[in-house]
């Protein structure tokens, strides 16, 4: 079943990522990737596997982190959507903005997570984006409100790191 970009959830992507990350190290090695693909009925030779790994592993550390995995997952989701529409967008994989890597996203997330509790609240997001209490809170077009709706998948009023990663990559891919 094809999933739309808007419905792609951080929890679903994390669950799939974890199914490949056998040792729970937070990254997928080439051997874990090979075994995971085999479990999913995808057999590929070592040359294909290494080419695929080089394409996904954008920071070149020899492992796939959650950000790299999410980028691939969401790009494939867009590709399926476009095939369904029988259109192709030439700019799909030639995204002008570089998608931030895992370390950049972690640094941005930590900066926004003012209280250090591992999630970003509405107030922290507003502060990060430069909004004050004097701003009109009823304006549904504010950036912070749009981002909260996009990122806060479980609607708990907080953005987890996984939700943040998925939302940031979605934003980059939509541009």
């Amino acid at each position: 079943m094809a999933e739309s970009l808007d419905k792609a959830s951080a929890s679903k992507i994390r669950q799939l990522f974890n199914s490949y990350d056998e040792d729970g190290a937070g990254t997928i090695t080439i051997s874990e990737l090979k075994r995971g693909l085999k479990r999913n009925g995808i057999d590929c030779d070592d040359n294909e596997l290494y080419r695929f790994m080089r394409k996904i592993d954008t920071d070149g550390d020899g492992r796939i982190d959650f950000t790299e995995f999410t980028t691939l997952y969401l790009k494939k989701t867009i590709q399926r959507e476009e095939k369904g529409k029988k259109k192709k967008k030439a700019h799909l994989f030639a995204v002008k903005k570089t998608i931030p890597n895992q370390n950049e996203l972690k640094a941005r997330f930590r900066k926004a997570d003012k209280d250090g509790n591992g999630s970003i609240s509405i107030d922290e997001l507003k502060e990060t984006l430069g909004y004050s209490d004097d701003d009109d809170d009823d304006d549904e077009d504010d950036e912070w409100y749009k981002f909260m709706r996009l990122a806060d998948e479980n609607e708990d009023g907080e953005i987890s790191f996984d939700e943040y990663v998925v939302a940031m990559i979605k934003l980059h891919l939509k541009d």
Side-chain angles (χ1 to χ4, degrees):
M1 180 170 100
E3 181 175 27
S4 77
L5 183 62
D6 292 335
K7 299 226 186 281
S9 72
S11 60
K12 191 177 282 187
I13 297 169
R14 176 56 79 177
Q15 185 177 19
L16 184 58
F17 177 84
N18 289 344
S19 75
Y20 283 87
D21 180 18
E22 297 167 344
D23 63 2
T27 58
I28 301 169
T29 63
I30 195 148
S31 57
E32 288 174 322
L33 178 62
K34 185 173 187 172
R35 288 188 299 271
L37 290 172
K38 190 171 242 175
R39 278 192 309 273
N40 288 303
I42 302 168
D43 198 26
C44 58
D45 66 35
D46 287 344
N47 289 334
E48 285 178 301
L49 190 62
Y50 280 97
R51 278 194 304 273
F52 182 70
M53 185 74 162
R54 273 198 317 268
K55 187 176 180 179
I56 298 170
D57 180 23
T58 56
D59 64 6
D61 67 355
R63 295 173 295 229
I64 301 169
D65 62 35
F66 184 69
T67 300
E68 292 164 335
F69 186 85
T70 301
T71 301
L72 172 71
Y73 183 92
L74 294 177
K75 280 182 177 180
K76 291 295 184 186
T77 300
I78 290 171
Q79 197 174 41
R80 283 190 300 272
E81 285 179 358
E82 293 306 318
K83 276 186 180 178
K85 293 177 186 176
K86 297 190 181 192
K87 292 181 184 175
K88 284 193 173 185
K89 289 187 177 179
H91 71 278
L92 179 61
F93 291 101
V95 177
K96 291 186 177 146
K97 292 182 185 177
T98 303
I99 294 173
N101 67 33
Q102 181 103 345
N103 291 332
E104 290 175 83
L105 289 174
K106 280 182 182 177
R108 290 180 188 178
F109 183 83
R110 279 193 299 266
K111 184 176 179 182
D113 181 16
K114 307 289 185 197
D115 62 8
N117 71 346
S119 63
I120 302 170
S121 68
I122 292 172
D123 291 335
E124 288 171 323
L125 186 60
K126 281 176 154 179
E127 186 179 335
T128 300
L129 294 174
Y131 288 91
S132 69
D133 289 337
D134 299 333
D135 291 332
D136 182 15
D137 289 339
D138 295 329
D139 185 2
E140 292 186 356
D141 293 326
D142 284 337
E143 279 184 65
W144 67 269
Y145 183 77
K146 288 178 185 176
F147 189 77
M148 280 303 286
R149 284 192 328 205
L150 174 68
D152 187 18
E153 295 172 3
N154 62 2
E155 298 178 346
D156 65 352
E158 300 276 325
I159 301 171
S160 69
F161 180 68
D162 287 356
E163 289 173 326
Y164 180 78
V165 168
V166 171
M168 293 302 291
I169 293 171
K170 282 181 181 181
L171 289 173
H172 276 81
L173 291 176
K174 283 184 177 183
D175 285 345

